[in-house]
C-alpha cells in the first residue's frame, strides 16, 4: 500500500492557511522524504530508534554498525536480535537499559503488540501511539517519527521535538522556544497537513535539509 500524502495539496493548504509559513515553504524548496518509498520492517525501525536515543549521530551509527556485524545482518529484526546475547550487545556499546528495551521490543513483537506494516496501514495514529509505547524505551516521540518518516502520515506535529520548536521560534520571531502546548495550539491552523509543517520547521531550524531526527541527538523520549 502506498505511503505518504499529496505534498502539492499540502503546500497549497498551508500557504492558504498560514501565509508566513507559505513564504517559508517557497524559500526552503521541495520536500520529498525518501523514507516513504523505501520498504521497512517495524522491529528494525524501532530497534534503530532505541539505539540512537541520547547519542550523537556518529556515535549511534558506530554502535549500530557493530550490532549489524555481530548479528551478520543488515536488518535488525527480531530474528537478528535474538541471535545476540546480552554480553554481545554490551560489547557493541549498547547500554544496559537499551539492551532491556531491545529485549522488550522482541517480546512485544512475539506477542503481536508490534503490528506489521500491512496492519499499520489500517490503524490510526492514536492507536499506533498507544500500541507501540507499550514497549520499553519507546515513547510518543519515537512513534511520531515512525508516523512521519516511515508511514508518511499527513497530520503529525511532534510538539516535544526540539527542532520543531526551534523552527516555530524562527517562524514567529519569538525570543524563546514556544511551549509544547502553545505550539499545539499554533498548529491547529495547519491541520490536516501538520506533517509538512513539521518538515518545514525542521529545515528552518537546521538551515540545511530535512533529516530524520532519529539520526541526530534526541530531545524527547
Amino acid at each position: 500500500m502506498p505511503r505518504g500524502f499529496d505534498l502539492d495539496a499540502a503546500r497549497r493548504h498551508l500557504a492558504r492557511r498560514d501565509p508566513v509559513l507559505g513564504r517559508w515553504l517557497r524559500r526552503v524548496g521541495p520536500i520529498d522524504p525518501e523514507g516513504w518509498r523505501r520498504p521497512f520492517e517495524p522491529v528494525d525501525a524501532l530497534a534503530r530508534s532505541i539505539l540512537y536515543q541520547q547519542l550523537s549521530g556518529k556515535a549511534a551509527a558506530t554502535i549500530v554498525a557493530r550490532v549489524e556485524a555481530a548479528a551478520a545482518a543488515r536488518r535488525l529484526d527480531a530474528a537478528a536480535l535474538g541471535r545476540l546475547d546480552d554480553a554481545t550487545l554490551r560489547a557493541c556499546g549498547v547500554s544496559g537499559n537499551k539492551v532491556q528495551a531491545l529485549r522488550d521490543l522482541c517480546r512485544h513483537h512475539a506477542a503481536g503488540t508490534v503490528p506489521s506494516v500491512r496492519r499499520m496501514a489500517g490503524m490510526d495514529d492514536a492507536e499506533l501511539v498507544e500500541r507501540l509505547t507499550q514497549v520499553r524505551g519507546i515513547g510518543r516521540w519515537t512513534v511520531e517519527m515512525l508516523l512521519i518518516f516511515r508511514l508518511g502520515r499527513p497530520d503529525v506535529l511532534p510538539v516535544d521535538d526540539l527542532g520543531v520548536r526551534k523552527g516555530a521560534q524562527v517562524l514567529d520571531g519569538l525570543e524563546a522556544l514556544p511551549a509544547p502546548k502553545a505550539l499545539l495550539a499554533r498548529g491547529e491552523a495547519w491541520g490536516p497537513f501538520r506533517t509538512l509543517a513539521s518538515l518545514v520547521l525542521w529545515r528552518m531550524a537546521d538551515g540545511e535539509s530535512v533529516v530524520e531526527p532519529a539520526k541526530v541527538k534526541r530531545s524527547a523520549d
Side-chain angles (χ1 to χ4, degrees):
M1 180 176 294
R3 305 192 306 270
F5 55 92
D6 188 332
L7 286 162
D8 290 335
R11 292 175 72 91
R12 292 192 296 270
H13 172 83
L14 293 177
R16 183 171 61 251
R17 296 294 299 271
D18 190 329
V20 176
L21 184 62
R23 288 194 292 272
W24 274 101
L25 274 163
R26 292 190 294 274
R27 179 173 175 179
V28 303
I31 292 175
D32 185 16
E34 61 181 25
W36 296 354
R37 296 185 293 276
R38 291 199 306 261
F40 77 97
E41 197 280 327
V43 171
D44 173 75
L46 294 169
R48 291 173 188 277
S49 292
I50 289 170
L51 292 170
Y52 269 94
Q53 288 173 9
Q54 307 303 324
L55 295 175
S56 68
K58 183 177 180 180
T62 298
I63 291 172
V64 168
R66 290 172 183 164
V67 174
E68 288 176 341
R74 296 300 302 273
R75 175 178 286 184
L76 300 180
D77 56 16
L81 293 171
R83 291 196 293 270
L84 304 177
D85 59 23
D86 291 2
T88 300
L89 286 169
R90 294 299 302 273
C92 292
V94 182
S95 70
N97 283 337
K98 291 183 181 180
V99 169
Q100 293 305 310
L102 292 174
R103 298 301 183 216
D104 196 49
L105 173 61
C106 291
R107 284 193 292 270
H108 278 285
H109 169 73
T113 307
V114 179
S116 66
V117 175
R118 183 181 295 275
R119 288 176 58 202
M120 284 182 178
M123 300 169 69
D124 64 29
D125 296 355
E127 186 179 2
L128 279 168
V129 170
E130 191 278 328
R131 289 281 293 273
L132 296 178
T133 53
Q134 295 178 44
V135 178
R136 177 173 177 163
I138 300 295
R140 182 180 185 88
W141 184 92
T142 296
V143 184
E144 288 172 335
M145 297 306 102
L146 185 80
L147 292 169
I148 291 173
F149 288 98
R150 303 286 189 168
L151 296 174
R153 296 295 175 88
D155 200 29
V156 183
L157 180 64
V159 297
D160 293 312
D161 183 89
L162 181 59
V164 170
R165 293 171 65 201
K166 283 184 176 179
Q169 181 182 10
V170 173
L171 177 69
D172 291 330
L174 304 175
E175 293 185 1
L177 292 173
K181 185 175 181 180
L183 180 54
L184 184 64
R186 175 73 173 85
E188 286 295 324
W190 303 333
F193 293 113
R194 291 183 293 176
T195 293
L196 180 58
S198 300
L199 295 171
V200 174
L201 294 175
W202 270 313
R203 184 170 286 189
M204 291 165 61
D206 66 33
E208 298 176 355
S209 61
V210 175
V211 295
E212 184 171 350
K215 292 184 167 61
V216 299
K217 193 168 183 178
R218 299 285 305 281
S219 64
D221 287 353

